[in-house]
Amino acid sequence: MKHLIGLIFLFFSLQSVMLRAQGPVDAILQEVETNNTTLAAIRDQLEASRVANRTGIFLADPQVDLYLLNNSSENIRRTNFHLMQPLDLSTLLGRRNQLSVAKNQQLDYQYLIYREQILLEAHHLVVDLIYYHALGRELEKRLQHARDIAKAYQAMLDAGEANILDYNKAQINLFNAEKAAELNQIELKTMLDELQVLNGGQAIAFTLEEFPAAVIPEDFQDLVETGFQQNPVLRMAGQEVTISRQEERLARSSYWPGITAGYMMEALPTERFSGFGMGLSIPLWENKNSIKQARLQTLAIEQQQQDLRVRYLGRYRSLYEQAKSLREASLNYHDNLNVFNHSELLMKALEAGQISLIDYLLELGFYYETVNLSLETDRQLHMVLATMEHFVQ
């Protein structure tokens, strides 16, 4: 079983490589998986369930009867001894053991689902952290620029080269830049605190300011066939079908006669009788409709499995198309920001008196807005990629 879990872990690692380059993000996720207290509790709970699945799969206990009978009027003593062992054919044929193995395998898939849910939550927080770090770096540049402008207009006001209105505009611009940087730090700390909770209360140092390269396979069909074969939710749904079929076989075995084998001895002062015996129970009415119910249950689970696969395929295709569109938008933003960055020209125009301060700030605001949209697009792209990587919705 451990070998199976190892193979599935390997699959998810390979899937991560397909969707993004490995690096600090993987290190954070591995740390969360190791320290997460929810996963530790789930592992213990599932281990208890695993043992519970192994109960009730053995033969019933034998029964021993001993009778000591006296006839006081004739001074005769009789001793009776019975040893009986019920023999359940479904147990002897291993049906109950096979069902137990199937249920324990299902627990492995269940753990992998919990694991991916925790890692998806952590991964989304990591994406947010990268976003706020990148935005913080940008806001720090804007804040320093606002300080320089405010300082310059303070000097110009003192020299009588600027009026109080332009001075006030420069101060308001500086105030807004300071508050934007402070709000970003608040969001950053909130994300770090939430990640620390997922990491079992242990602090995580994370300063990555750039998103890793986003790699999206071009062939969707290959991606689906590879991914869905080991998807824990779909594997668990398939395992439910297997378990239902095992229970159906067990229901059929309830129509087999029950057998009881035993040994009996009766001893008298002058005689002794002993021998083996066998009992047989005839299943006529007790388990009526049990096979029909089990068969219908299997059909229902098979239909649910098919429905789940269709819904998963539709959802995954939607994410895939969304990721490709966001990647295209991200590339467009980066290209345009490199080509149309005219912040230096604006500064020269302001210094030459060709534009007013308010025009300068408005023009610069257009550029800042584009940078913000570019970062937001990158964040959305990597949120979608993270969802695809830990796809257990």
Side-chain angles (χ1 to χ4, degrees), residues 139-357:
L139 292 176
E140 190 60 35
K141 292 180 186 175
R142 297 174 192 178
L143 177 58
Q144 185 57 47
H145 186 62
R147 285 173 180 152
D148 293 341
I149 291 178
K151 185 178 180 181
Y153 272 83
Q154 175 69 61
M156 291 168 65
L157 180 66
D158 294 342
E161 298 174 356
N163 58 45
I164 188 64
L165 294 177
D166 284 341
Y167 170 77
N168 288 343
K169 292 171 190 171
Q171 292 299 319
I172 291 175
N173 180 56
L174 174 59
F175 175 79
N176 288 336
E178 289 174 342
K179 292 307 167 188
E182 290 174 7
L183 291 174
N184 189 71
Q185 284 299 316
I186 293 173
E187 293 292 339
L188 192 59
K189 185 177 184 309
T190 301
M191 296 298 109
L192 277 172
D193 288 345
E194 291 182 16
L195 188 60
Q196 183 174 338
V197 171
L198 288 179
N199 196 40
Q202 299 184 32
I204 290 182
F206 189 82
T207 57
L208 193 62
E209 296 179 346
E210 294 182 358
F211 289 102
V215 181
I216 305 175
E218 293 300 324
D219 193 328
F220 175 73
Q221 197 59 36
D222 284 349
L223 182 64
V224 167
E225 290 179 359
T226 305
F228 279 25
Q229 285 177 359
Q230 299 297 339
N231 184 282
V233 175
L234 296 178
R235 293 296 296 269
M236 186 169 176
Q239 193 63 19
E240 287 177 359
V241 174
T242 301
I243 290 173
S244 184
R245 288 173 179 164
Q246 297 273 7
E247 289 175 339
E248 190 177 332
R249 294 178 65 194
L250 198 59
R252 287 198 189 95
S253 66
S254 67
Y255 277 80
W256 295 343
I259 300 175
T260 302
Y263 170 80
M264 181 176 179
M265 185 273 288
E266 180 175 322
L268 297 170
T270 57
E271 296 177 289
R272 180 186 179 92
F273 303 91
S274 64
F276 294 94
M278 179 177 291
L280 195 69
S281 68
I282 303 174
L284 293 180
W285 308 287
E286 183 178 357
N287 297 312
K288 188 176 181 181
N289 289 328
S290 60
I291 295 178
K292 182 179 180 181
Q293 187 274 333
R295 188 183 304 120
L296 291 175
Q297 181 70 19
T298 301
L299 289 174
I301 293 177
E302 286 176 342
Q303 290 177 346
Q304 291 171 3
Q305 182 197 22
Q306 183 62 27
D307 172 65
L308 180 66
R309 187 173 181 82
V310 170
R311 287 190 287 112
Y312 255 55
L313 182 61
R315 172 63 176 151
Y316 201 73
R317 184 186 297 279
S318 175
L319 288 172
Y320 178 76
E321 296 297 335
Q322 188 179 1
K324 291 184 69 174
S325 299
L326 286 170
R327 185 182 60 177
E328 182 68 22
S330 174
L331 292 174
N332 289 339
Y333 269 119
H334 287 289
D335 291 342
N336 281 281
L337 283 173
N338 290 330
V339 174
F340 301 116
N341 182 3
H342 58 290
S343 55
E344 293 184 2
L345 293 176
L346 284 174
M347 177 55 73
K348 290 179 181 177
L350 177 65
E351 292 173 348
Q354 297 173 347
I355 59 174
S356 66
L357 178 60

Side-chain angles (χ1 to χ4, degrees), residues 11-48:
F11 159 74
F12 281 108
S13 299
L14 292 175
Q15 192 179 37
S16 301
V17 174
M18 288 190 297
L19 297 177
R20 61 182 163 79
Q22 289 193 324
V25 175
D26 296 274
I28 294 295
L29 297 183
Q30 289 172 5
E31 189 173 346
V32 168
E33 183 181 357
T34 302
N35 300 324
N36 186 267
T37 52
T38 302
L39 285 179
I42 290 172
R43 280 194 291 268
D44 291 342
Q45 179 59 48
L46 293 182
E47 188 59 31

